[in-house]
Amino acid sequence: MCFNSVLIQLDCRSAVSCDNMETASYFSDLQYLLQLEKDEELRQYENLMRGTSVQQRVEMGMCWYPLRVVETGYGFGDYPFVILERTKKKDQPHAFSGGKMAVVFSTEPHAPDPWKGAIQFVNGDQLKLIFFTDEAPEVLEWGKLGVNTVPDENAYREQENAMKLVANARNCRLAELREVLLLNKPSVIERAVDLPEMPVHLNDSQKMAVQLILQTEDVCVLHGPPGTGKTTTLIAAARLLVNEGEQVLLCAPSNAAADWLTHKALEAGMRVLRIGNSARIQEALEASTVEGHLKQHPQYGDIKEYRKRAAELRRMAGKYKRQFGQAEREQRKMILSEAKAIASEARKLEAFILESCVDKAEVITSTLVGANHSLLDKRMFSTVFIDEAAQAPEPGCWIPITKAERVILAGDPFQLPPTVKSQEAARKGLSVTLMEKVIDHIPTALLNRQYRMNEKIMAFSNRWFYNGRLEAHEDVSNWAIGDDPVLEFIDTAGLGWEEVQNPETQSLTNPEEAQLLWKRVLALSETLHGKKISVGVISPYRGQVGVLNDVFTDMKEVLQAAMDVEVQTIDSYQGQERDAIFVSLVRCNSRNEIGFLNDYRRMNVAMTRARKKLVLIGDSATLGHDSFYKALIDHCELTGAYRSAWELVY
């Protein structure tokens, strides 16, 4: 089978030799940057808690308050959970999502200390917290409850430990992979490998990428621009490796991305074990989690009996909770001690069973941090895939690499970069990913056919970011929503719609722009004639998302027959797509400042979410002083996609 080899880059000319001292210095510097990031996240959190009121944190999206308790109980791992629902400020943008840590608190006088838990899911105005304790925290029995976001320090510890392990590796496979990834030696491609027949559903560039993965002995990169089937390609490669008897590890930076890999691996018919805290995994994937595998084991009934007895003892202890005599306290302590011992026996039996479950799995999926789960202790994998590697801070990538015989980095460095809170750490290099460092120097396969966008939507991104190497598949190249224009830039210059800064959140808004966007969505809905479409309304600024949410919440009934509309930040839309995307760019000021819009990768994400229609609304007088946005506006003018807002407003 012959493929276009121009899509594989094999340039190791810039690789330089490096001794152990230089390696130690490299990881010492990286540890320092990670410490800066950790310190900054903790500093921001402490300042937030100390310097803002509960109501201010609610406005900033960092807190839900007040809450009501919807349900409590014991779930995965016999850990207590609570489902909480916010009763005010519903639909307001927030920073909560499945997999993050949060603390529940009470503002009642003399209430117990706040208690940390992991968010299993957020669904509308409800979220579910799991507490890794033997019983539910006492704070839940109080009124005036709220939840705050909180940093997860465990993730930092795991990254620190992995980098120490990598830096100290000598005369082993990890040391060899380290030298390849630090560009001190070339990555080997074994051309003599007998290749299996490629899956027929893959296109030529995808087949070539799978071939590269199968022939790689050390490290290679899969570059997957938007809509090109990166996950499809990864899963096809994993399926072929599993067919050869290998057990592979599929990782991603976030729980959402790891869950998506799990879903696609299951679709491909592989036996999948999703590793990680159950609180951070979608409930729909429960059967693939360690607990799900456990429930299918013949001895699960014994574990249930242990848990049932432990629950009965906890209920007995609860009768003493509001009695404060010495005898009652001792009795409660004794009962809880027995419950704890029984729960411990249940967990020991779980551990024994799950060890065999890991052995039987063909594919293990996890987050980067989750790759160091105790169930994977001392295990090695023939192939480790790191998906969304261009979004992953480098320290996190070294965690799964410590378990690899070979490494496949997959992603797109022209989409959203990692989130780095410390400006100093970002400036000194923490925002540069491992994939970005190696992509030009080790074997790389580019997926060049996209299946998402009309070619008019794709055109500017293709030229600016991908050197014109992408092509739209014939099934999508000309699709549209009726006769409606596929691409529009609506220019608000001259209308005086100045951006406004929220004094509490410091985020920017542009209310007039939000109203115009609403009118354009409404105008589109009137052309659909009974056909329903999906619409994404997005902005780079959280404050503007709040304004847009207010506008669209009031008008949901007007649109619901024609559209499914979701309002979110650009960052929240990475990995998603909609029939139509409307983008509010917000910035309009006499200083010609565009702030973090100058990270063009964010705009690449925004523009490439759209399948059939893309509408950008912004002020050319402000944006046009930047080379990227000037080129974008010029492109829209040349292709007939430019419109002045004057004709729509007056």
Side-chain angles (χ1 to χ4, degrees), residues 251-285:
C251 300
S254 69
N255 280 284
D259 285 345
W260 180 244
L261 288 173
T262 305
H263 172 70
K264 300 306 289 184
L266 288 169
E267 275 191 349
M270 291 182 276
R271 292 196 302 274
V272 186
L273 178 62
R274 171 68 164 96
I275 292 286
N277 285 338
S278 302
R280 304 181 178 203
I281 300 170
Q282 293 176 11
E283 287 191 304
L285 297 174

Side-chain angles (χ1 to χ4, degrees), residues 174-190:
L174 179 57
E176 293 172 350
L177 290 175
R178 178 193 65 209
E179 295 308 296
V180 172
L181 287 161
L182 295 187
L183 307 180
N184 299 322
K185 58 178 290 189
S187 180
V188 175
I189 304 298
E190 178 52 70

